[in-house]
Amino acid sequence: MAARKSPVGWILLVLAVVGAVVWFRSAANTPLPVDRAIARGQVTVSFAAADAAHSTLTITRAGADGALTVVVPAGAPIYSAAAGDQRLAVARTVTVRLAKGQSQASVALETYCLDQFALQPTPTTALSFSPPSDGTVVEETEPLRKLIACLDGSTQPHDARQFAVWMVSQNYLDLSYAQARGRIREAYRQVLDDQARTALNGAVRDQVAAALPGASSADIDAAVTRIGGQRLAGKLDARAERMTAADLKGFLGGGAQALESCGYQTQVLEFFKDAPKASA
């Protein structure tokens, strides 16, 4: 007579199968960082940027149709394909859930600008979580990553948090107030000068040419030069001063508060030592 087989082996086998199924379903729903999902070829992403603070991220499934959860963490860098454009960073962690059979989902992203004086993204700007192919990427510092992670849960308004991010990303905290003011004003003056030069050589010159039919190229150039003379330079100087003052006010106000909420002792930082107490 054949020996009876113990049911223990079958029970263990059933438990193992059930455990494997539970593990598989759990793994399928485990949040996956967006960069890892992209690297694995599970998703592709696209952006539509309204401005430096607001974008819409669309995640499209590239493979299996099971449930998939993707996390976009605060601090994730976003790059532009165009040279000279701002780098961005995700300001608030978002989770995107694709249900079984769902191929695509979109979510609103709040973002920070990391490069204070660079060109803002527009709805036509090509953005990506991957750095440009030319390898020109400014290294992100550990203090900046920690600050953005801390601000993920902050109740401070966006502008205050943005000023705090700039103070770290632009290294203003290591400068005296006067040094920072000079650097900011010089940068704004250069930006305004570049914009004015582009306008003078483009739209302004076209308007002058239309207003002076039959004028020679030399006469048009002379008229454009007069427009771009000392009077315009004075206006650009005044505007650079106003923009600088506005930023400094933001740094001393909401920016300082946002930094303090993340453990920065502003009273001992170089920037704040000789800064005005009330306004810039």
Side-chain angles (χ1 to χ4, degrees), residues 75-89:
I78 302 172
Y79 305 96
S80 170
D85 280 8
Q86 290 176 354
R87 292 170 306 143
L88 305 176

Side-chain angles (χ1 to χ4, degrees), residues 3 12 14 30 35 81 91 115 128 132 134 139 145 164 216 220 254 274:
L12 292 177
V14 170
T30 298
D35 57 344
D115 305 301
S128 173
D134 63 5
E139 183 179 356
R145 288 195 295 268
S216 67
I220 294 173
D274 63 345

Side-chain angles (χ1 to χ4, degrees), residues 141 143 166-180 183 259 264 268-274:
T141 64
W166 274 337
M167 295 195 80
V168 174
S169 71
Q170 304 300 121
N171 298 315
Y172 294 141
L173 297 179
D174 297 327
L175 302 177
S176 70
Y177 178 84
Q179 288 173 325
R183 179 182 292 184
L259 288 174
Y264 282 77
V268 302
L269 295 173
E270 194 66 29
F271 176 88
F272 293 96
K273 287 180 180 178
D274 63 345

Side-chain angles (χ1 to χ4, degrees), residues 54-268:
H54 306 90
S55 295
T56 298
L57 171 67
T58 298
I59 293 182
T60 303
R61 189 194 302 275
D65 63 355
L68 179 65
T69 302
V70 178
V71 175
V72 184
I78 302 172
Y79 305 96
S80 170
D85 280 8
Q86 290 176 354
R87 292 170 306 143
L88 305 176
V90 175
R92 304 285 200 187
T93 298
V94 296
T95 300
V96 183
R97 295 180 176 84
L98 292 169
K100 181 178 180 180
Q102 183 181 2
S103 62
Q104 190 177 84
S106 295
V107 63
L109 281 186
E110 182 185 347
T111 55
Y112 298 125
C113 159
L114 299 184
D115 305 301
Q116 185 180 4
F117 308 105
L119 294 173
Q120 278 200 101
T122 69
T124 60
T125 301
L127 298 173
S128 173
F129 285 120
S130 301
S133 57
D134 63 5
T136 307
V137 181
V138 179
E139 183 179 356
E140 291 161 42
T141 64
E142 184 66 21
L144 181 58
R145 288 195 295 268
K146 288 182 177 179
L147 174 62
I148 294 177
C150 173
L151 293 175
D152 189 10
S154 173
T155 59
Q156 295 284 335
H158 178 87
D159 285 352
R161 289 180 278 117
Q162 175 65 82
F163 281 124
V165 167
W166 274 337
M167 295 195 80
V168 174
S169 71
Q170 304 300 121
N171 298 315
Y172 294 141
L173 297 179
D174 297 327
L175 302 177
S176 70
Y177 178 84
Q179 288 173 325
R181 183 183 185 99
R183 179 182 292 184
I184 294 167
R185 189 200 176 285
E186 182 180 356
Y188 274 133
R189 187 62 179 82
Q190 184 61 57
V191 168
L192 294 173
D193 191 59
D194 291 343
Q195 292 174 350
R197 187 179 301 110
T198 298
L200 288 170
N201 294 332
V204 172
R205 194 179 194 285
D206 292 341
Q207 291 173 5
V208 170
L212 300 173
S216 67
S217 179
D219 288 339
I220 294 173
D221 288 341
V224 170
T225 299
R226 286 195 297 273
I227 294 172
Q230 286 300 114
R231 186 176 179 184
L232 177 60
K235 289 182 177 180
L236 297 183
D237 284 338
R239 186 175 179 191
E241 285 288 352
R242 291 194 298 271
M243 295 169 76
T244 300
D247 280 1
L248 290 169
K249 183 177 181 181
F251 293 148
L252 295 174
Q257 294 172 15
L259 288 174
E260 289 165 358
S261 72
C262 287
Y264 282 77
Q265 302 297 315
T266 57
Q267 69 272 15
V268 302

